[in-house]
Amino acid sequence: MTDAIDVFAVVGTGTGVGKTVITAGLVGGLREHGADARAIKPVQTGYPPDDDAAYVRAACDESRAATCLERLEPPLAPAVAADREGVDLTYDDVEVSCERALADAEVGVLEGIGGLRVPLAGDKEVIDLVAALDLPVVLVAQSGLGTLNHTALSIEALDRRDVEVLGVVLNEYAGKTIAERTNPTTLSGMTDRPIHTVPPLSLDTPADALAVADHLDALIARLTGHEK
């Protein structure tokens, strides 16, 4: 048995790798295990129509399952979007707001924005926030060709900041190509981190994202302290 983890982040190797779906699945899975887990989105850009916190709430059918702290309309990096909109988005405010929101949750799950080096506010990036809050992370990556480089570089950046990587999730893993089939074993050797795979899912409704938990038993066991 291991100690349960009551706060962590879900970050990505880039934009569009499926962080929100994985976040929804993990939050839903943790809630199924009796934990009052809540996703925290520091800044949502591209709003509307993008609303990651609303997606997690809908997936879990629970208003307390997710919250968003700041919303900006341009679909750009938060620092860039705030500058274009004339919004005074300061890093200190973002960090303090996240710290309070995470402390208010039984299990707090910070969802990143884009990749680790995305400009967040001022001269700070997403990785700066994760490191300042001392959050272990689940790293979400693509499954196919190119992910070895992106994933290894992301873990190298996290290691330099002394950020613990709980595991890598290769999302939409179909195993149709040689690259996909060999990537889990190769990444495990390159990074010495647990590698998990989630297959392509039918995501007709947000609730379908809860199926993610069925494929991440080992990771959820680590998060809940039931890892043997």
Side-chain angles (χ1 to χ4, degrees):
M1 300 289 285
T2 57
D3 292 334
I5 296 171
D6 59 7
V7 63
F8 65 96
V10 177
V11 297
T13 57
T15 300
V17 295
K19 291 186 302 297
T20 301
V21 170
I22 300 302
T23 298
L26 288 175
V27 170
L30 290 168
R31 295 182 73 85
E32 283 292 320
H33 280 76
D36 187 14
R38 186 186 311 172
I40 311 297
K41 187 75 174 184
V43 184
Q44 175 70 65
T45 61
Y47 175 85
D50 294 336
D51 192 340
D52 296 344
Y55 185 91
V56 176
R57 289 195 297 268
C60 297
D61 194 24
E62 171 56 61
S63 62
R64 283 179 48 84
T67 187
C68 179
L69 305 180
E70 181 74 42
R71 294 181 173 89
L72 297 167
E73 184 175 351
L76 303 166
V80 180
D83 183 62
R84 290 183 63 87
E85 293 288 280
V87 174
D88 184 21
L89 182 69
T90 71
Y91 172 77
D92 287 345
D93 286 345
V94 172
E95 183 182 327
V96 169
S97 296
C98 287
E99 190 172 25
R100 289 174 177 167
L102 290 168
D104 190 47
E106 181 182 344
V107 178
V109 185
L110 185 85
E111 183 188 346
I113 307 103
L116 292 167
R117 298 279 326 255
V118 165
L120 177 58
D123 61 352
K124 301 293 187 179
E125 301 170 347
V126 171
I127 193 171
D128 293 306
L129 177 65
V130 172
L133 294 173
D134 195 23
L135 302 177
V137 305
V138 173
L139 179 64
V140 183
Q142 294 176 329
S143 296
L145 192 65
T147 203
L148 298 180
N149 180 63
H150 298 157
T151 305
L153 286 174
S154 294
I155 290 178
E156 184 178 312
L158 291 163
D159 284 345
R160 285 200 301 267
R161 304 299 295 273
D162 294 322
V163 175
E164 180 184 4
V165 179
L166 299 170
V168 176
V169 176
L170 296 180
N171 193 29
E172 297 187 333
Y173 178 84
K176 291 183 177 180
T177 66
I178 294 175
E180 272 193 286
R181 292 193 295 272
T182 57
N183 278 343
T185 300
T186 304
L187 272 175
S188 179
M190 291 174 69
T191 67
D192 194 29
R193 300 306 200 284
I195 309 298
H196 310 274
T197 60
V198 172
L201 300 173
S202 174
L203 297 172
D204 295 331
T205 69
D208 294 332
L210 298 184
V212 163
D214 297 335
H215 304 280
L216 296 178
D217 290 343
L219 179 56
I220 290 176
R222 173 71 181 92
L223 296 170
T224 57
H226 292 94
E227 183 181 49
K228 297 181 180 179

